[in-house]
Amino acid sequence: MTRFPDNYVNHQDIAGVLNTIRVTVTRLLQQLQQDGTILRHKRRIILRLPNKLIENYSSALY
Protein backbone atom coordinates (compact mmCIF):
# COMPACT_ATOMS: atom_id res chain seq x y z
CA MET A 1 0.00 0.00 0.00
CA THR A 2 1.28 3.47 -0.89
CA ARG A 3 1.95 5.71 2.10
CA PHE A 4 1.22 9.41 1.89
CA PRO A 5 2.30 12.13 4.30
CA ASP A 6 -0.06 12.79 7.17
CA ASN A 7 -2.00 15.78 5.89
CA TYR A 8 -5.11 16.15 7.97
CA VAL A 9 -8.21 17.80 6.60
CA ASN A 10 -11.52 17.84 8.36
CA HIS A 11 -15.03 17.47 6.98
CA GLN A 12 -15.39 21.25 6.76
CA ASP A 13 -12.22 21.48 4.62
CA ILE A 14 -13.54 18.80 2.25
CA ALA A 15 -16.92 20.54 2.08
CA GLY A 16 -15.23 23.79 1.10
CA VAL A 17 -13.39 22.15 -1.76
CA LEU A 18 -16.58 20.45 -2.98
CA ASN A 19 -18.70 23.57 -2.51
CA THR A 20 -21.13 21.83 -0.16
CA ILE A 21 -21.79 21.71 3.58
CA ARG A 22 -20.04 19.66 6.26
CA VAL A 23 -23.13 17.56 7.01
CA THR A 24 -23.24 16.37 3.39
CA VAL A 25 -19.59 15.28 3.55
CA THR A 26 -20.16 13.45 6.84
CA ARG A 27 -23.19 11.60 5.44
CA LEU A 28 -21.38 10.67 2.24
CA LEU A 29 -18.37 9.34 4.16
CA GLN A 30 -20.70 7.27 6.35
CA GLN A 31 -22.41 5.86 3.26
CA LEU A 32 -19.08 5.03 1.62
CA GLN A 33 -17.94 3.29 4.78
CA GLN A 34 -21.17 1.28 5.08
CA ASP A 35 -20.95 0.00 1.51
CA GLY A 36 -17.28 -0.95 1.94
CA THR A 37 -15.82 1.58 -0.48
CA ILE A 38 -13.72 3.24 2.21
CA LEU A 39 -12.37 2.32 5.61
CA ARG A 40 -12.07 5.04 8.23
CA HIS A 41 -9.40 4.33 10.79
CA LYS A 42 -8.34 6.91 13.34
CA ARG A 43 -7.83 10.08 11.26
CA ARG A 44 -7.33 8.29 7.97
CA ILE A 45 -9.57 7.34 5.07
CA ILE A 46 -8.45 4.24 3.21
CA LEU A 47 -9.86 3.60 -0.27
CA ARG A 48 -10.69 -0.09 -0.26
CA LEU A 49 -12.52 -0.10 -3.59
CA PRO A 50 -11.28 2.88 -5.63
CA ASN A 51 -12.87 1.59 -8.85
CA LYS A 52 -16.27 1.44 -7.14
CA LEU A 53 -15.82 5.04 -6.03
CA ILE A 54 -14.99 6.11 -9.58
CA GLU A 55 -17.87 4.15 -11.11
CA ASN A 56 -20.47 5.41 -8.66
CA TYR A 57 -19.46 9.04 -8.31
CA SER A 58 -17.51 10.17 -11.37
CA SER A 59 -20.68 11.45 -13.05
CA ALA A 60 -21.22 13.83 -10.12
CA LEU A 61 -17.98 15.60 -11.00
CA TYR A 62 -19.10 16.70 -14.45
Side-chain angles (χ1 to χ4, degrees):
M1 176 171 30
T2 304
R3 296 278 309 181
F4 294 97
D6 292 331
N7 295 321
Y8 295 112
V9 295
N10 59 34
H11 294 190
Q12 186 65 46
D13 296 332
I14 296 169
V17 170
L18 298 175
N19 197 28
T20 189
I21 60 174
R22 181 199 54 80
V23 175
T24 301
V25 171
T26 300
R27 289 179 182 159
L28 179 59
L29 289 173
Q30 289 171 344
Q31 179 182 349
L32 292 170
Q33 185 173 7
Q34 288 174 351
D35 73 13
T37 303
I38 66 169
L39 173 66
R40 291 173 21 178
H41 178 68
K42 297 184 182 180
R43 297 188 71 180
R44 291 177 169 77
I45 297 174
I46 301 164
L47 289 175
R48 297 183 69 211
L49 302 169
N51 289 336
K52 183 175 181 180
L53 184 67
I54 293 166
E55 290 169 10
N56 291 342
Y57 295 98
S58 63
S59 63
L61 298 174
Y62 301 105

